[in-house]
Amino acid sequence: MTKLTPVAFAAALSLHLPAAWAQAQGTVTLPTVTVNASADASAQGLSAPYPGGQVARGGRAGILGTKDNMETPFSITSFTNELIQDRQARSVGEVLQNDPFVNVARGFGNFQESYFIRGFILNSDDVAYNGLYSLLPRQYIATELFERVEVLHGASAFLTGATPGGGGLGGGINLLPKRAPNEALSRVTVGAGTGGWGSASADVARRFGPDASTGVRVNAGYRNGGTGVDDENASTSVASVGLDWRSRNVRLSGDIGFQDNRLKRTRTNVTPVGVAFIPEAPGAQTNFAQPWTYSNEKDVFGTLRGEWDITPDVTAWGAWGMRRSEEANSLANFDLTDAATGAGRTSRFDNTREDAVDTGEIGVRGKLRTGSVGHEWVLAAATFDLEKKAAYAWDFFNTQATNLYHPVFSPLPAFTSSAFTGGVLAAPGVTGRTKLTSYAIGDTLSLAGDSVLLTVGARHQNLHISNFDYNTGALLPPDYDQSRTSPVAGVVWKASKQLSAYANYIEGLTQGDTAPLQASNRGQSLAPFVSKQKEVGLKYDGGRLGGAIALFSTTRPRSLIDAGGVFTAGGKDRHQGVELSAFGEATRGLRVLGGITWLDAEQLETGDPATNGKRVIGVPQAQGSLGVEWDVPGLKGLALDARVVGGGSRYADAANTLKVAGYSRLDAGVRYLTEVQGKLLTLRARVDNVADRNYWTSTGGFPGAGYLVVGAPRTFNLSASVDF
């Protein structure tokens, strides 16, 4: 199938829409598919969708399991597959445009999706899959294979353990795989859009055996073509098989997935170098990427998970996951050297990487009562092992002149003798190993007639991180091997069926910094950095409309060289703010999803008057999103939606001399559901960035770096799904 076939197919369906309306005869009875199968081989299963179907009533709170939002002292948002489809979200980042507390950014020197949560960065390396870290593609995660995208707002060392990449201090993301629903499913979707891209995907599921105890779900998808940015091209292939089996007291599931993502001439980050101000963003369609650049990533990943009900009140579980991946890139990131004219430079940077990840978790949880006090206790242990192979060649001094607004394109430059190199690009060697182990214990006590829920616990974690010379393979000092115990305390007061108040203290955990060459103790590693979060909030559930407000303060240690030349832990970043959200059905046929956050992220006690008290790079003081979806009266099956996404100004440097303007963007869509010859047909059309605004969508995404990313231009997307 060529890339134009889905386009032609979608066009044909749109031409036959009047016939579909005629066959509908004004009355449409749409079939309902109810998914009751577990997504994670747990007795708890998926949290039920909230009215409106865009988010769920709860989500997975790490080792505590799936929890209703009204009964957990943490803030969790679980976006449903229905929302993913209706917003035509092709990546996790596009799903999170619907989360007012998340700002989607990009990795350092590559095209990796990264996510600011409460002002702290989380890279896609540290996204969890079915509860286990770093199993998914580390650059870009397509959405075709997932049932839910869950976001935990806040620190999570006790709940999920420290992330292998060192992020996640402000929150975590967990993706749940698809499972076979109770009813047979056979769905084909085709799509097309701006830039000439086309797509086709299939989603097939069946249940077999006595009591439909065995489920199989197969997903496959392909998309290829332009992006709306001049001469930019992206191609993505995905496939997965999900199996599950259940008996009276045992539940098993397994998943295997594949993704091949290839980018050509993708627009790069822009790094300000020696400029006095940040200029306006270039035209949203302008592509300043060099024509020879590319980025390829191929991943195979999978999980196994099982549960055994030892007694009616005690359940043991185990999980294992793996990822094997290969990456190859030829990049030319843009250094902006003249803000007035847009002049800049690029240099060639090639790299290859291979990852091998193995990770697992075991645990047991149960319920009991001691007098009038109920207990939900849990014991768990986890392990993580990453072996990284990498090689690079960077011709830093061999630059090519170009311009942000009027790009100058150069032929592929050969590497010069002054290029920095490490390893062999065609056969990268081992350059790093990360080993994490942890043990956790926790209990949720039910008090005062179960109206008060008190959660206490702790996780002891060991971080062992080794780095090796690119060329010799020799172990480089320091060999980081440190441990820390992370406590948690949280309380929920269920004031009524509609209102819960909560508070928590929970920590985040990352590897401590290593002393640089100019320090007298160069090479020495600091103890693990511990972020400390305090949060209070209210949650409201009106039956069809819900909302929440949270006030939080999180501190993260910094490092500095003191007056005696010693590298030590000193100072901190303090992120404190307010989050306000709403979701559900405001009235029948009118759904809302969105909110706003006010965030004060400051650098404190830095030891440098130029940065002390200044805002953290890339974090706006206000950001948010608001989506509204409306069922058009008198036209059953027709719905319109609109979404506003925006953020305030940010800074691209620690001294706050480079201010980046804020932005806002309007997106809109339409969906029509009907029945044609007994088959459910869903047509969707969408326009993102309706006004075609030019803006900087994010700043930073790596500690201390203030690079800029240009927002996407106005794009049109059309899709058609048929359930056979």
Side-chain angles (χ1 to χ4, degrees), residues 455-513:
T455 299
V456 293
R459 182 187 291 265
H460 180 77
Q461 182 133 358
N462 176 260
L463 297 82
H464 188 183
I465 302 169
S466 305
N467 294 295
F468 304 89
D469 186 272
Y470 274 83
N471 297 305
T472 68
L475 178 66
L476 299 174
D479 187 34
Y480 194 88
D481 192 354
Q482 300 271 358
S483 298
R484 163 75 183 185
T485 298
S486 303
V488 66
V491 62
V492 176
W493 173 44
K494 297 189 287 185
S496 68
K497 186 177 180 180
Q498 293 79 29
L499 186 66
S500 288
Y502 74 94
N504 69 57
Y505 172 83
I506 190 169
E507 296 180 351
L509 186 66
T510 62
Q511 176 187 359
D513 293 340

Side-chain angles (χ1 to χ4, degrees), residues 683-705:
L683 299 176
R684 298 179 177 92
R686 186 158 194 82
V687 184
D688 288 329
N689 192 5
V690 172
D692 200 23
R693 290 194 168 183
N694 306 325
Y695 62 97
W696 299 111
T697 185
S698 69
T699 306
F702 186 84

